Amino acid sequence: MILPSHFSDPSNESIFVDLHTHSTASDGTFTPAMLIDRAQLLGISILALTDHDTTDGNAIAQSHGKNANLLVLPGIELSTNSDRGTAHMLGLGINDESSAFSSLLGTIRDGRRERNGRIIQKLNLLGYRINHDDVTHEAGGDIIGRPHIARTLIRKGYFTSIQTCFEELLDRKGAGYVQRWRPDIRTAIDAIHESGGVAVLAHPGLLRLESEAVLRHFIQSLAEIGLDGLETNYSMHSSQQLKLFSDIARSFGLIQTGGSDFHGLNKDYGDLGLGVDAKHIGFDFARELLERLRLDSSISTHQYHHN
Ligand code: AMP
Ligand code: FE
Ligand code: FE
Ligand code: ZN
């Protein structure tokens, strides 16, 4: 992969990155092309598209990124089951989907379809007039999730915000909640590796673990089964969390990445490109990933050779 020309000095402090973003292929409100355009406008140099449970947006994002002189890494975010509850796994640099990976995505999609049907049934019993077609219409792509159900309910006038809709109905404790099938975390890590990707635990600060000791132990156990990295710089982490997670990453030889979890207008997560303390995410949070993906050689090859 050839890097954009402004990579001539990778230590350049003006290189900003965002390795966790969502598009209309899952539950974001920006199409992949809109996401790239906005990234370019904001001066972001490296972007990973990490839609929930789908790689459908990656091809167009990559081709659009070439025109925009921006490095786009194809990715995914998988919701998994672990010993410590649901954990989100980023697959970064997914370039060659293995058959195990594709069939995993198929199983996840079936699980969503079944779950969504049961949520709609529950909502109907509760008196909400909503059907499958309404929700499909709300989703731009193949992945239909709770945010699309929430948006449908808002459109129909039942709620005024996604947040209140989740609180009242769709959260784990809500009256319309139904669990969906999730792969085991190890299966997800293996599938990402088989597809050329690097497995990074997303937003460790959102795991609800009792103590730092439990968190360390959990991450160590993941490192032992092949986890490659931690998303240490994340829009909803505090600077103390960033420090702690960086320390844990170093303890277990894990790489560090940074991302905003931008969902467009869906949520009030940070804007594209913003990490801890709503600051731009620097190249340090992509460097090790590029090394793992062997993109570092193209950086040095191109170093100082651009006009
Ligand atoms: P699903 O994968 O269909 O179960 O939906 C999960 C999506 O809902 C993820 O993108 C979450 O970020 C989003 N989500 C979960 N809880 C909330 C919440 N309380 N408010 C807004 N979005 C949420
Ligand atoms: Fe989401
Ligand atoms: Fe997540
Ligand atoms: Zn995400």
Side-chain angles (χ1 to χ4, degrees), residues 13 52 66 70 78 81 94 144 158 210 216 239 249 256 263 277 285:
E13 282 179 7
H52 298 286
K66 275 188 195 119
L70 192 140
L78 298 170
N81 284 329
I94 301 282
I144 300 177
Y158 291 114
E210 309 84 283
R216 277 186 192 272
S239 46
Q256 298 186 52
H263 277 70
D277 290 338
F285 294 94

Side-chain angles (χ1 to χ4, degrees), residues 256-272:
Q256 298 186 52
T257 68
S260 65
D261 210 358
F262 182 66
H263 277 70
L265 307 175
N266 260 3
K267 295 201 224 184
D268 21 63
Y269 281 146
D271 199 354
L272 197 60

